[in-house]
Structures are given as structure tokens and as C-alpha cells.
Amino acid sequence: MIRQRTLKSIVKATGVGLHGGRKVNLVLRPAAPDSGIVFHRVDLDPPLDFPADPYAVCDTRMCSGLEKGGQKVGTVEHLMSALAGLGIDNLHVDVDAPEIPILDGSSGPFVFLLQSAGIEEQSVPKKFMRVKKAVEYREGDKWVRLEPYDGFRLEFSIVFNHPAIDSTSTAVTVDFAEQSYIRDVARARTFGFMQDVEFMRANGLALGGSLDNAIVMDEYRVLNAEGLRYADEFVKHKVLDAIGDLYLCGHPLLAAYSAHKAGHALNNQILRVLLEDKSAWELVSFEKPAATPAAVTHQFADALAMT
């Protein structure tokens, strides 16, 4: 049986918020089966809960955030991506600020935290959202699509007209029937441009951004002394973001995702298009090995083996 997962123990981290620039304390706690991923703003009195929910997503300019009662918890996508990559279904996320810490700009540090706490399989089957027919969302030349697939595959292409990005691979396919989230995706960092920094900071964004938590470029080149972690790190980070954005539906997807020039807003829109067409999806579980697609077995066995 493909089982639900949570953590074996509590784990803590401290970092800085990418957009607010303030210190953030983060606590990840085990949760009961069928609890889902729930964020808690513990700095509020009383604390406010933000369950993972695509209809609660707000402010997709530079991140994915959740909003409730006029309060927000932002930049959830990198942690959500790590949770999806390791197959964590149920978790309490305590945070004492309006956003999750950015750490190094990838999901790698979150993977490390989750591995440090240990992953515990629970006694109930994991529930997958299986896409039954193709759905699509477009805005101009940007588009995103979900199609039926017995596993989870992502294809992404980007266009930035920047020499540092165009000199790398600007299209990628990641299929978890064959590849590993931890090895092939998790270390890809967020990226930005020096010429945008002044504008973003004037609008209250990227106040905590630095060469320690993002790939930064001037008009011609990458400014980070260590260079890139992957030859296709830019487009790989877009895949990392998409995995986190899509996991806000509350279940791992059985689908082929493809996108061109998409971002947080389009990722959220495609989830809404999917959910609003009841004939386009169903919830399924795999309680017998013979009924489990090989791609699913590989994806979740691989994540557990690497923890």
C-alpha cells in the first residue's frame, strides 16, 4: 500500500523572509492522517490556521501566498515543493512571520530539515488526484496544461532574452518514474535581475534577497561566484515552483503537466480550472501492489530511500 506520510519528530529552523527581510522562526510538526498541510501564524493572537488550498492563494507576483481573515503567509512554494517531493501528506507548519524563510532560495534546505526529522509512514492510504482528461489555461503567449498520466511528469520551457539564461537549457522534462526530486530538482534556486531589485524593494518585495538566497544577474552574467548548480538551473527552478504550487491542491497529482512561460499565477489558475470540472479528476488510492502504477511506486520509494 502507498501510505500517507508525516514526520517522526519536530524540527526547527530560522531564516530570513525573502520579501519582508525580517527574521523568521519555522517549526515543522507531525500531523495525524488526513490532516493535510496546515500553516499556523503563531505570531498572531489567537494563532491563525492556513490549510493548503488553491482558493486561498493570493499575491502571486513573486511567490505563492495564502490569505485568510486579512492575514497572509507567503512564499510557501519551496516548502510545499519539498513536501511533495518527499511525499509528506500531513504536517503542521508553525511560522512567526507573514512568510516562510527563503533559506538558500531552493527547496534543498527544507529537504534536509525533513530528512533530519525522519519520515514516518502512516496506517492509511495516500490519496492521489488523478487527472482524467486534459485541461488548459492560457494568458496571451503563456500557457499551462494538465493531462492524464500514470505518474507525475513535468515539462517546462522559458523565454527571458537574457544571455546568462539563454546560454543554458531553457526547456526541461522531469519524469519521476525515472528521476529523483532530491537529486534532480531540489537544489535549483530562485533567480532575479539586479535592474529589478530597486523596483521590487520600492514595492516592498525582495527586502531579504541576496546572493546567499538567489541567483542574481546583471545585464550579461550571473553574479554569484559559485555559478550554477545545474546546467539548466533556471528552468529547473520553475519546475520546483510548479511542484509546490500544484501541491496546494492537497494531494499528489497523477498527471502530465506542461507549461510555457508560466509562473505562480498560471499554476494556481490551472488547479482551479481542474477542480471546477468534476469530470476532469478523481481521488484514488493504491492499496495493492498489483494496482499501483510503476511510476508511482518508483517516485515514492525513491523519496523514502533517499531520506
Side-chain angles (χ1 to χ4, degrees), residues 214-271:
I215 305 168
V216 181
M217 291 162 283
D218 62 15
E219 294 180 7
Y220 307 103
R221 61 193 173 92
V222 171
L223 299 179
N224 304 65
E226 73 276 20
L228 299 180
R229 295 174 174 178
Y230 301 108
D232 52 1
E233 188 168 2
F234 298 106
V235 70
K236 277 277 182 71
H237 186 78
K238 300 293 282 186
V239 167
L240 184 155
D241 277 347
I243 292 168
D245 290 340
L246 295 173
Y247 200 42
L248 286 167
C249 74
H251 303 281
L253 287 174
L254 294 178
Y257 163 98
S258 52
H260 178 64
K261 297 176 67 175
H264 301 300
L266 266 67
N267 291 334
N268 182 248
Q269 288 296 332
I270 195 62
L271 278 186

Tab-separated table of all heavy atoms in Angstrom, residues 214-271:
chain	number	residue	atom	x	y	z
A	214	ALA	N	19.606	33.534	-3.756
A	214	ALA	CA	19.080	33.646	-5.117
A	214	ALA	C	20.232	33.687	-6.110
A	214	ALA	O	21.353	34.074	-5.760
A	214	ALA	CB	18.231	34.913	-5.267
A	215	ILE	N	19.946	33.280	-7.344
A	215	ILE	CA	20.855	33.561	-8.450
A	215	ILE	C	20.554	34.985	-8.900
A	215	ILE	O	19.399	35.314	-9.207
A	215	ILE	CB	20.628	32.599	-9.632
A	215	ILE	CG1	20.732	31.141	-9.194
A	215	ILE	CG2	21.608	32.887	-10.754
A	215	ILE	CD1	20.230	30.160	-10.252
A	216	VAL	N	21.560	35.833	-8.898
A	216	VAL	CA	21.363	37.235	-9.280
A	216	VAL	C	22.177	37.523	-10.535
A	216	VAL	O	23.332	37.112	-10.650
A	216	VAL	CB	21.782	38.191	-8.140
A	216	VAL	CG1	21.535	39.641	-8.546
A	216	VAL	CG2	21.013	37.861	-6.855
A	217	MET	N	21.560	38.237	-11.478
A	217	MET	CA	22.227	38.563	-12.741
A	217	MET	C	22.210	40.056	-13.005
A	217	MET	O	21.251	40.747	-12.637
A	217	MET	CB	21.506	37.845	-13.898
A	217	MET	CG	21.677	36.340	-13.898
A	217	MET	SD	20.421	35.526	-14.912
A	217	MET	CE	18.993	35.622	-13.824
A	218	ASP	N	23.302	40.553	-13.608
A	218	ASP	CA	23.264	41.893	-14.178
A	218	ASP	C	22.777	41.760	-15.619
A	218	ASP	O	22.111	40.789	-15.966
A	218	ASP	CB	24.619	42.592	-14.056
A	218	ASP	CG	25.748	41.892	-14.809
A	218	ASP	OD1	25.453	41.017	-15.664
A	218	ASP	OD2	26.922	42.210	-14.560
A	219	GLU	N	23.112	42.688	-16.478
A	219	GLU	CA	22.590	42.635	-17.847
A	219	GLU	C	23.198	41.507	-18.671
A	219	GLU	O	22.659	41.155	-19.725
A	219	GLU	CB	22.838	43.971	-18.546
A	219	GLU	CG	22.053	45.132	-17.931
A	219	GLU	CD	22.324	46.438	-18.641
A	219	GLU	OE1	23.001	46.416	-19.686
A	219	GLU	OE2	21.859	47.487	-18.154
A	220	TYR	N	24.309	40.942	-18.193
A	220	TYR	CA	25.032	40.000	-19.043
A	220	TYR	C	25.320	38.649	-18.399
A	220	TYR	O	25.441	37.650	-19.097
A	220	TYR	CB	26.377	40.616	-19.480
A	220	TYR	CG	26.224	41.972	-20.111
A	220	TYR	CD1	26.536	43.128	-19.400
A	220	TYR	CD2	25.747	42.106	-21.416
A	220	TYR	CE1	26.386	44.387	-19.981
A	220	TYR	CE2	25.604	43.354	-22.005
A	220	TYR	CZ	25.916	44.484	-21.277
A	220	TYR	OH	25.760	45.719	-21.848
A	221	ARG	N	25.447	38.589	-17.075
A	221	ARG	CA	26.022	37.382	-16.490
A	221	ARG	C	25.467	37.116	-15.100
A	221	ARG	O	24.837	37.984	-14.475
A	221	ARG	CB	27.543	37.524	-16.398
A	221	ARG	CG	27.976	38.670	-15.517
A	221	ARG	CD	29.451	39.018	-15.653
A	221	ARG	NE	29.758	40.235	-14.891
A	221	ARG	CZ	30.181	40.253	-13.645
A	221	ARG	NH1	30.361	39.122	-12.987
A	221	ARG	NH2	30.422	41.388	-13.037
A	222	VAL	N	25.747	35.909	-14.628
A	222	VAL	CA	25.433	35.513	-13.249
A	222	VAL	C	26.481	36.124	-12.322
A	222	VAL	O	27.681	36.018	-12.570
A	222	VAL	CB	25.426	33.975	-13.121
A	222	VAL	CG1	25.334	33.548	-11.657
A	222	VAL	CG2	24.284	33.378	-13.927
A	223	LEU	N	26.023	36.765	-11.243
A	223	LEU	CA	26.937	37.440	-10.322
A	223	LEU	C	27.408	36.532	-9.187
A	223	LEU	O	28.402	36.838	-8.539
A	223	LEU	CB	26.256	38.682	-9.728
A	223	LEU	CG	25.832	39.753	-10.744
A	223	LEU	CD1	25.150	40.917	-10.020
A	223	LEU	CD2	27.026	40.255	-11.547
A	224	ASN	N	26.729	35.434	-8.939
A	224	ASN	CA	27.122	34.520	-7.861
A	224	ASN	C	28.469	33.888	-8.190
A	224	ASN	O	28.643	33.300	-9.268
A	224	ASN	CB	26.079	33.420	-7.688
A	224	ASN	CG	24.683	33.969	-7.443
A	224	ASN	OD1	24.118	34.610	-8.303
A	224	ASN	ND2	24.128	33.681	-6.279
A	225	ALA	N	29.415	33.981	-7.257
A	225	ALA	CA	30.780	33.499	-7.507
A	225	ALA	C	30.818	32.004	-7.808
A	225	ALA	O	31.643	31.550	-8.605
A	225	ALA	CB	31.667	33.821	-6.310
A	226	GLU	N	29.917	31.230	-7.191
A	226	GLU	CA	29.951	29.779	-7.369
A	226	GLU	C	29.279	29.319	-8.652
A	226	GLU	O	29.316	28.134	-8.995
A	226	GLU	CB	29.302	29.072	-6.171
A	226	GLU	CG	27.790	29.172	-6.086
A	226	GLU	CD	27.282	30.440	-5.424
A	226	GLU	OE1	28.031	31.441	-5.349
A	226	GLU	OE2	26.124	30.436	-4.979
A	227	GLY	N	28.628	30.237	-9.387
A	227	GLY	CA	27.968	29.852	-10.619
A	227	GLY	C	26.693	29.072	-10.383
A	227	GLY	O	26.037	29.219	-9.340
A	228	LEU	N	26.342	28.212	-11.337
A	228	LEU	CA	25.085	27.469	-11.282
A	228	LEU	C	25.284	26.078	-10.698
A	228	LEU	O	26.349	25.481	-10.827
A	228	LEU	CB	24.484	27.355	-12.686
A	228	LEU	CG	24.128	28.668	-13.388
A	228	LEU	CD1	23.547	28.376	-14.770
A	228	LEU	CD2	23.167	29.515	-12.561
A	229	ARG	N	24.242	25.548	-10.073
A	229	ARG	CA	24.260	24.197	-9.502
A	229	ARG	C	23.883	23.138	-10.535
A	229	ARG	O	24.299	21.995	-10.426
A	229	ARG	CB	23.286	24.132	-8.325
A	229	ARG	CG	23.686	25.024	-7.158
A	229	ARG	CD	22.603	25.011	-6.086
A	229	ARG	NE	23.021	25.740	-4.905
A	229	ARG	CZ	22.253	25.924	-3.832
A	229	ARG	NH1	21.018	25.426	-3.814
A	229	ARG	NH2	22.699	26.592	-2.785
A	230	TYR	N	23.011	23.514	-11.469
A	230	TYR	CA	22.623	22.645	-12.575
A	230	TYR	C	22.854	23.432	-13.862
A	230	TYR	O	22.705	24.658	-13.883
A	230	TYR	CB	21.139	22.274	-12.527
A	230	TYR	CG	20.627	21.565	-11.303
A	230	TYR	CD1	19.799	22.228	-10.387
A	230	TYR	CD2	20.894	20.224	-11.077
A	230	TYR	CE1	19.281	21.576	-9.279
A	230	TYR	CE2	20.383	19.565	-9.968
A	230	TYR	CZ	19.581	20.241	-9.071
A	230	TYR	OH	19.066	19.583	-7.969
A	231	ALA	N	23.146	22.729	-14.948
A	231	ALA	CA	23.303	23.403	-16.242
A	231	ALA	C	21.995	24.062	-16.679
A	231	ALA	O	22.010	25.043	-17.435
A	231	ALA	CB	23.767	22.410	-17.297
A	232	ASP	N	20.879	23.532	-16.189
A	232	ASP	CA	19.554	24.082	-16.523
A	232	ASP	C	18.849	24.576	-15.260
A	232	ASP	O	17.640	24.387	-15.096
A	232	ASP	CB	18.709	23.029	-17.244
A	232	ASP	CG	18.646	21.690	-16.492
A	232	ASP	OD1	19.243	21.603	-15.399
A	232	ASP	OD2	18.013	20.756	-16.999
A	233	GLU	N	19.595	25.232	-14.371
A	233	GLU	CA	19.047	25.596	-13.062
A	233	GLU	C	17.860	26.549	-13.159
A	233	GLU	O	16.916	26.454	-12.363
A	233	GLU	CB	20.128	26.205	-12.167
A	233	GLU	CG	19.657	26.429	-10.734
A	233	GLU	CD	20.772	26.748	-9.757
A	233	GLU	OE1	21.957	26.835	-10.186
A	233	GLU	OE2	20.475	26.921	-8.561
A	234	PHE	N	17.871	27.466	-14.134
A	234	PHE	CA	16.780	28.439	-14.228
A	234	PHE	C	15.441	27.745	-14.494
A	234	PHE	O	14.469	27.942	-13.767
A	234	PHE	CB	17.075	29.458	-15.338
A	234	PHE	CG	18.317	30.267	-15.096
A	234	PHE	CD1	19.469	30.010	-15.828
A	234	PHE	CD2	18.348	31.261	-14.139
A	234	PHE	CE1	20.630	30.745	-15.611
A	234	PHE	CE2	19.501	32.003	-13.901
A	234	PHE	CZ	20.642	31.739	-14.641
A	235	VAL	N	15.393	26.920	-15.522
A	235	VAL	CA	14.137	26.245	-15.843
A	235	VAL	C	13.819	25.163	-14.811
A	235	VAL	O	12.648	24.905	-14.515
A	235	VAL	CB	14.163	25.700	-17.287
A	235	VAL	CG1	15.112	24.519	-17.438
A	235	VAL	CG2	12.749	25.324	-17.747
A	236	LYS	N	14.848	24.570	-14.200
A	236	LYS	CA	14.605	23.590	-13.131
A	236	LYS	C	13.921	24.258	-11.940
A	236	LYS	O	13.075	23.646	-11.271
A	236	LYS	CB	15.931	22.969	-12.674
A	236	LYS	CG	16.434	21.803	-13.524
A	236	LYS	CD	15.798	20.478	-13.132
A	236	LYS	CE	16.356	19.315	-13.951
A	236	LYS	NZ	17.741	18.985	-13.609
A	237	HIS	N	14.274	25.515	-11.656
A	237	HIS	CA	13.606	26.182	-10.538
A	237	HIS	C	12.134	26.427	-10.861
A	237	HIS	O	11.286	26.368	-9.960
A	237	HIS	CB	14.280	27.505	-10.161
A	237	HIS	CG	13.663	28.107	-8.927
A	237	HIS	ND1	13.946	27.647	-7.660
A	237	HIS	CD2	12.712	29.064	-8.779
A	237	HIS	CE1	13.214	28.308	-6.780
A	237	HIS	NE2	12.452	29.181	-7.441
A	238	LYS	N	11.819	26.703	-12.111
A	238	LYS	CA	10.424	26.868	-12.489
A	238	LYS	C	9.651	25.557	-12.268
A	238	LYS	O	8.484	25.576	-11.864
A	238	LYS	CB	10.316	27.321	-13.943
A	238	LYS	CG	11.014	28.641	-14.234
A	238	LYS	CD	10.348	29.816	-13.547
A	238	LYS	CE	9.120	30.260	-14.265
A	238	LYS	NZ	8.535	31.503	-13.694
A	239	VAL	N	10.300	24.434	-12.524
A	239	VAL	CA	9.695	23.125	-12.244
A	239	VAL	C	9.500	22.957	-10.737
A	239	VAL	O	8.447	22.510	-10.271
A	239	VAL	CB	10.560	21.993	-12.819
A	239	VAL	CG1	10.123	20.629	-12.283
A	239	VAL	CG2	10.502	22.007	-14.345
A	240	LEU	N	10.531	23.310	-9.952
A	240	LEU	CA	10.445	23.225	-8.487
A	240	LEU	C	9.254	24.035	-7.979
A	240	LEU	O	8.465	23.553	-7.155
A	240	LEU	CB	11.755	23.743	-7.881
A	240	LEU	CG	11.950	23.663	-6.366
A	240	LEU	CD1	13.450	23.635	-6.037
A	240	LEU	CD2	11.321	24.851	-5.632
A	241	ASP	N	9.109	25.273	-8.480
A	241	ASP	CA	7.980	26.115	-8.078
A	241	ASP	C	6.651	25.470	-8.457
A	241	ASP	O	5.695	25.473	-7.669
A	241	ASP	CB	8.073	27.483	-8.767
A	241	ASP	CG	8.990	28.454	-8.047
A	241	ASP	OD1	9.385	28.192	-6.893
A	241	ASP	OD2	9.308	29.494	-8.651
A	242	ALA	N	6.583	24.940	-9.680
A	242	ALA	CA	5.330	24.340	-10.145
A	242	ALA	C	4.925	23.164	-9.267
A	242	ALA	O	3.739	23.004	-8.933
A	242	ALA	CB	5.469	23.901	-11.602
A	243	ILE	N	5.896	22.346	-8.861
A	243	ILE	CA	5.591	21.209	-7.987
A	243	ILE	C	4.969	21.706	-6.682
A	243	ILE	O	3.979	21.149	-6.196
A	243	ILE	CB	6.865	20.382	-7.721
A	243	ILE	CG1	7.323	19.686	-9.014
A	243	ILE	CG2	6.630	19.357	-6.611
A	243	ILE	CD1	8.715	19.081	-8.927
A	244	GLY	N	5.540	22.768	-6.100
A	244	GLY	CA	4.998	23.324	-4.865
A	244	GLY	C	3.639	23.962	-5.052
A	244	GLY	O	2.724	23.777	-4.234
A	245	ASP	N	3.487	24.732	-6.140
A	245	ASP	CA	2.195	25.378	-6.408
A	245	ASP	C	1.091	24.344	-6.600
A	245	ASP	O	-0.018	24.500	-6.093
A	245	ASP	CB	2.300	26.249	-7.664
A	245	ASP	CG	3.168	27.490	-7.463
A	245	ASP	OD1	3.382	27.899	-6.308
A	245	ASP	OD2	3.617	28.047	-8.482
A	246	LEU	N	1.393	23.285	-7.343
A	246	LEU	CA	0.382	22.270	-7.628
A	246	LEU	C	0.006	21.474	-6.379
A	246	LEU	O	-1.136	21.017	-6.244
A	246	LEU	CB	0.877	21.316	-8.720
A	246	LEU	CG	1.093	21.928	-10.107
A	246	LEU	CD1	1.733	20.909	-11.037
A	246	LEU	CD2	-0.217	22.440	-10.704
A	247	TYR	N	0.965	21.337	-5.442
A	247	TYR	CA	0.686	20.546	-4.240
A	247	TYR	C	-0.291	21.259	-3.306
A	247	TYR	O	-0.825	20.642	-2.376
A	247	TYR	CB	1.990	20.220	-3.519
A	247	TYR	CG	1.885	19.036	-2.576
A	247	TYR	CD1	1.186	17.888	-2.930
A	247	TYR	CD2	2.500	19.050	-1.325
A	247	TYR	CE1	1.086	16.802	-2.076
A	247	TYR	CE2	2.415	17.966	-0.461
A	247	TYR	CZ	1.702	16.848	-0.841
A	247	TYR	OH	1.606	15.775	0.002
A	248	LEU	N	-0.577	22.527	-3.576
A	248	LEU	CA	-1.574	23.237	-2.779
A	248	LEU	C	-2.976	22.681	-2.993
A	248	LEU	O	-3.898	23.013	-2.240
A	248	LEU	CB	-1.537	24.735	-3.111
A	248	LEU	CG	-0.332	25.486	-2.533
A	248	LEU	CD1	-0.196	26.865	-3.159
A	248	LEU	CD2	-0.461	25.622	-1.005
A	249	CYS	N	-3.144	21.796	-3.973
A	249	CYS	CA	-4.446	21.134	-4.133
A	249	CYS	C	-4.701	20.131	-3.011
A	249	CYS	O	-5.829	19.661	-2.841
A	249	CYS	CB	-4.540	20.430	-5.492
A	249	CYS	SG	-3.588	18.899	-5.628
A	250	GLY	N	-3.663	19.782	-2.248
A	250	GLY	CA	-3.837	18.918	-1.087
A	250	GLY	C	-3.509	17.466	-1.314
A	250	GLY	O	-3.529	16.672	-0.364
A	251	HIS	N	-3.189	17.107	-2.557
A	251	HIS	CA	-2.884	15.718	-2.877
A	251	HIS	C	-1.816	15.667	-3.969
A	251	HIS	O	-1.762	16.564	-4.820
A	251	HIS	CB	-4.132	14.975	-3.375
A	251	HIS	CG	-5.277	14.994	-2.423
A	251	HIS	ND1	-5.343	14.166	-1.319
A	251	HIS	CD2	-6.398	15.754	-2.393
A	251	HIS	CE1	-6.463	14.408	-0.660
A	251	HIS	NE2	-7.124	15.368	-1.293
A	252	PRO	N	-0.991	14.620	-3.994
A	252	PRO	CA	-0.097	14.449	-5.132
A	252	PRO	C	-0.900	14.198	-6.404
A	252	PRO	O	-1.941	13.523	-6.368
A	252	PRO	CB	0.748	13.227	-4.750
A	252	PRO	CG	-0.050	12.504	-3.724
A	252	PRO	CD	-0.854	13.540	-2.999
A	253	LEU	N	-0.435	14.748	-7.503
A	253	LEU	CA	-1.122	14.598	-8.773
A	253	LEU	C	-0.643	13.360	-9.520
A	253	LEU	O	0.545	13.028	-9.500
A	253	LEU	CB	-0.889	15.822	-9.658
A	253	LEU	CG	-1.604	17.120	-9.276
A	253	LEU	CD1	-1.128	18.256	-10.179
A	253	LEU	CD2	-3.113	16.979	-9.380
A	254	LEU	N	-1.555	12.708	-10.191
A	254	LEU	CA	-1.224	11.748	-11.232
A	254	LEU	C	-1.572	12.454	-12.535
A	254	LEU	O	-2.736	12.524	-12.940
A	254	LEU	CB	-2.040	10.465	-11.080
A	254	LEU	CG	-1.754	9.623	-9.839
A	254	LEU	CD1	-2.664	8.413	-9.806
A	254	LEU	CD2	-0.295	9.179	-9.799
A	255	ALA	N	-0.540	13.020	-13.177
A	255	ALA	CA	-0.791	13.888	-14.324
A	255	ALA	C	0.507	14.201	-15.043
A	255	ALA	O	1.602	14.081	-14.470
A	255	ALA	CB	-1.440	15.205	-13.870
A	256	ALA	N	0.358	14.620	-16.290
A	256	ALA	CA	1.458	15.230	-17.033
A	256	ALA	C	1.180	16.721	-17.094
A	256	ALA	O	0.133	17.149	-17.604
A	256	ALA	CB	1.558	14.641	-18.434
A	257	TYR	N	2.092	17.497	-16.521
A	257	TYR	CA	1.999	18.960	-16.502
A	257	TYR	C	2.933	19.504	-17.569
A	257	TYR	O	4.086	19.063	-17.680
A	257	TYR	CB	2.406	19.456	-15.115
A	257	TYR	CG	2.772	20.926	-14.999
A	257	TYR	CD1	1.845	21.857	-14.544
A	257	TYR	CD2	4.058	21.377	-15.305
A	257	TYR	CE1	2.178	23.194	-14.399
A	257	TYR	CE2	4.399	22.713	-15.172
A	257	TYR	CZ	3.458	23.622	-14.725
A	257	TYR	OH	3.803	24.937	-14.579
A	258	SER	N	2.460	20.442	-18.364
A	258	SER	CA	3.339	21.120	-19.318
A	258	SER	C	3.024	22.603	-19.299
A	258	SER	O	1.865	23.005	-19.099
A	258	SER	CB	3.177	20.541	-20.730
A	258	SER	OG	1.824	20.514	-21.137
A	259	ALA	N	4.062	23.420	-19.473
A	259	ALA	CA	3.870	24.860	-19.353
A	259	ALA	C	4.905	25.608	-20.176
A	259	ALA	O	6.034	25.139	-20.369
A	259	ALA	CB	3.960	25.287	-17.883
A	260	HIS	N	4.514	26.793	-20.630
A	260	HIS	CA	5.417	27.692	-21.344
A	260	HIS	C	5.256	29.088	-20.751
A	260	HIS	O	4.144	29.637	-20.723
A	260	HIS	CB	5.092	27.711	-22.838
A	260	HIS	CG	5.938	28.654	-23.637
A	260	HIS	ND1	7.303	28.502	-23.774
A	260	HIS	CD2	5.613	29.779	-24.324
A	260	HIS	CE1	7.779	29.470	-24.532
A	260	HIS	NE2	6.776	30.261	-24.870
A	261	LYS	N	6.360	29.630	-20.215
A	261	LYS	CA	6.396	30.983	-19.649
A	261	LYS	C	5.402	31.155	-18.499
A	261	LYS	O	4.951	32.257	-18.217
A	261	LYS	CB	6.154	32.036	-20.735
A	261	LYS	CG	7.208	32.060	-21.816
A	261	LYS	CD	6.888	33.042	-22.928
A	261	LYS	CE	6.929	34.489	-22.473
A	261	LYS	NZ	6.740	35.422	-23.605
A	262	ALA	N	5.052	30.062	-17.841
A	262	ALA	CA	4.090	30.137	-16.748
A	262	ALA	C	4.787	30.510	-15.443
A	262	ALA	O	6.011	30.478	-15.333
A	262	ALA	CB	3.356	28.806	-16.598
A	263	GLY	N	3.983	30.856	-14.446
A	263	GLY	CA	4.500	31.179	-13.124
A	263	GLY	C	3.453	30.821	-12.081
A	263	GLY	O	2.527	30.047	-12.335
A	264	HIS	N	3.591	31.411	-10.895
A	264	HIS	CA	2.705	31.063	-9.786
A	264	HIS	C	1.231	31.302	-10.133
A	264	HIS	O	0.371	30.491	-9.786
A	264	HIS	CB	3.072	31.874	-8.545
A	264	HIS	CG	4.476	31.673	-8.090
A	264	HIS	ND1	4.961	30.442	-7.712
A	264	HIS	CD2	5.509	32.540	-7.966
A	264	HIS	CE1	6.238	30.563	-7.361
A	264	HIS	NE2	6.582	31.822	-7.515
A	265	ALA	N	0.928	32.407	-10.823
A	265	ALA	CA	-0.463	32.739	-11.115
A	265	ALA	C	-1.095	31.692	-12.029
A	265	ALA	O	-2.210	31.224	-11.777
A	265	ALA	CB	-0.550	34.127	-11.755
A	266	LEU	N	-0.400	31.296	-13.087
A	266	LEU	CA	-0.967	30.310	-14.007
A	266	LEU	C	-1.045	28.929	-13.371
A	266	LEU	O	-1.992	28.170	-13.629
A	266	LEU	CB	-0.156	30.255	-15.306
A	266	LEU	CG	-0.692	31.150	-16.450
A	266	LEU	CD1	-0.535	32.620	-16.099
A	266	LEU	CD2	-0.020	30.834	-17.767
A	267	ASN	N	-0.062	28.602	-12.527
A	267	ASN	CA	-0.129	27.323	-11.809
A	267	ASN	C	-1.380	27.259	-10.936
A	267	ASN	O	-2.036	26.216	-10.824
A	267	ASN	CB	1.116	27.111	-10.965
A	267	ASN	CG	2.365	26.877	-11.793
A	267	ASN	OD1	2.282	26.404	-12.936
A	267	ASN	ND2	3.514	27.194	-11.228
A	268	ASN	N	-1.695	28.376	-10.292
A	268	ASN	CA	-2.895	28.407	-9.462
A	268	ASN	C	-4.152	28.337	-10.315
A	268	ASN	O	-5.115	27.636	-9.971
A	268	ASN	CB	-2.904	29.669	-8.598
A	268	ASN	CG	-4.112	29.719	-7.676
A	268	ASN	OD1	-4.997	30.549	-7.847
A	268	ASN	ND2	-4.162	28.827	-6.707
A	269	GLN	N	-4.150	29.019	-11.448
A	269	GLN	CA	-5.325	29.017	-12.312
A	269	GLN	C	-5.624	27.629	-12.863
A	269	GLN	O	-6.784	27.232	-12.956
A	269	GLN	CB	-5.133	30.020	-13.459
A	269	GLN	CG	-5.223	31.472	-13.037
A	269	GLN	CD	-6.591	31.853	-12.502
A	269	GLN	OE1	-7.611	31.275	-12.875
A	269	GLN	NE2	-6.635	32.825	-11.600
A	270	ILE	N	-4.583	26.871	-13.234
A	270	ILE	CA	-4.846	25.545	-13.791
A	270	ILE	C	-5.432	24.616	-12.731
A	270	ILE	O	-6.268	23.758	-13.042
A	270	ILE	CB	-3.583	24.941	-14.447
A	270	ILE	CG1	-3.952	23.748	-15.351
A	270	ILE	CG2	-2.571	24.498	-13.410
A	270	ILE	CD1	-4.844	24.096	-16.509
A	271	LEU	N	-5.021	24.786	-11.468
A	271	LEU	CA	-5.641	23.991	-10.399
A	271	LEU	C	-7.120	24.324	-10.266
A	271	LEU	O	-7.961	23.437	-10.103
A	271	LEU	CB	-4.941	24.253	-9.062
A	271	LEU	CG	-3.652	23.496	-8.766
A	271	LEU	CD1	-3.200	23.794	-7.341
A	271	LEU	CD2	-3.825	21.988	-8.957
